[in-house]
Amino acid sequence: MPAKQKNKIKAVIFDLWGTILENGVYPSPTKQSKKILGLFDMPYHDFVVRFENAFMTSQYSDIKEGLRMVFKEFDVNPDEYNRVDRLTGLWNKAKIMSKLYPDTITTLQKLKKSYKLILLSNLPSTQTDIVERFSFADYFDHVFISYELGCIKSEKGFEKVLKKTGLSPKEAIMVRDSMESDIKGAEQAGIK
């Protein structure tokens, strides 16, 4: 097989929040969570990786159970400053108010004619109904959620997606919005 054909792009991996779906709140729920937790001096990159690992890699019965893991991870008192209710409200509002970007569906429909489409999202287990709400299964060949993978979109997460889909890193590209939680992991896994 000629080298050109061997490395042909076969799949497009999409992030969810901020890429095909508006968060519903601004700034993003993750950025607001950092403030509510009072972690003003922590660099955002360090925060987002730890936060998403604590909040988005296990299945929880409700959002407050997931938030308990966050409070534990950062050694933050949940009772101060009404943090539990503020974070619960924030994440629920983000889910309820989220909406597709105007060109999302037409873009996905066009791309699906030529590529496998993969959705990969760091998402709390209590918010996965958003995949059904927007009928993403109609547009994506595969949907991977961090809590189901047991890891966020780190190098390990991308490697799991490649293995499950039978793709090589050179056969996929990543469409994303965040340097911290999308770009670095894809690049480390060899995905453009």
Side-chain angles (χ1 to χ4, degrees):
M1 175 182 298
K4 213 174 196 180
Q5 281 184 321
K6 189 177 182 181
N7 294 327
K8 184 179 178 192
I9 300 297
K10 295 180 180 177
V12 182
I13 303 171
F14 282 91
D15 172 47
L16 178 62
W17 299 108
T19 303
I20 62 172
L21 194 63
E22 289 187 61
N23 287 317
V25 297
Y26 183 83
S28 75
T30 307
K31 288 181 180 175
Q32 288 188 53
S33 294
K34 182 179 181 288
K35 289 179 183 177
I36 292 170
L37 292 167
L39 302 170
F40 304 107
D41 295 332
M42 181 179 284
Y44 183 70
H45 176 266
D46 296 340
F47 169 76
V48 72
V49 171
R50 287 177 60 191
F51 178 82
E52 290 182 345
N53 269 311
F55 192 46
M56 301 180 184
T57 59
S58 297
Q59 186 164 5
Y60 303 112
S61 59
D62 63 41
I63 196 164
K64 290 180 181 181
E65 182 183 352
L67 290 172
R68 281 193 289 276
M69 298 306 295
V70 170
F71 296 127
K72 182 179 177 182
E73 171 66 26
F74 292 102
D75 194 26
V76 171
N77 184 344
D79 299 322
E80 289 181 338
Y81 309 110
N82 198 24
R83 286 183 172 122
V84 174
D85 290 341
R86 289 171 63 203
L87 286 168
T88 300
L90 169 67
W91 284 90
N92 285 335
K93 181 178 179 183
K95 181 176 85 168
I96 291 166
M97 300 296 291
S98 62
K99 61 183 179 180
L100 293 169
Y101 287 106
D103 58 348
T104 296
I105 298 302
T106 54
T107 301
L108 293 175
Q109 288 171 332
K110 286 177 186 175
L111 288 171
K112 193 164 175 67
K113 293 175 184 175
S114 302
Y115 304 98
K116 283 185 179 182
L117 299 185
I118 300 167
L119 179 63
L120 174 60
S121 182
N122 293 343
L123 190 64
S125 65
T126 57
Q127 296 195 339
T128 57
D129 56 335
I130 205 156
V131 173
E132 293 173 17
R133 177 174 150 204
F134 291 104
S135 304
F136 288 136
D138 294 345
Y139 305 101
F140 291 94
D141 298 284
H142 304 278
V143 175
F144 297 102
I145 306 298
S146 55
Y147 90 90
E148 294 171 327
L149 289 174
C151 60
I152 60 171
K153 289 179 287 186
S154 59
E155 179 180 3
K156 182 179 176 183
F158 284 102
E159 287 172 351
K160 283 186 175 186
V161 167
L162 292 173
K163 185 175 181 179
K164 289 177 182 273
T165 59
L167 294 164
S168 76
K170 303 263 187 250
E171 293 175 322
I173 59 171
M174 175 69 187
V175 178
R176 73 295 183 245
D177 70 310
S178 171
M179 178 65 79
E180 292 85 4
S181 61
D182 299 327
I183 298 171
K184 289 182 182 177
E187 287 178 345
Q188 290 170 338
I191 299 170
K192 290 184 179 183

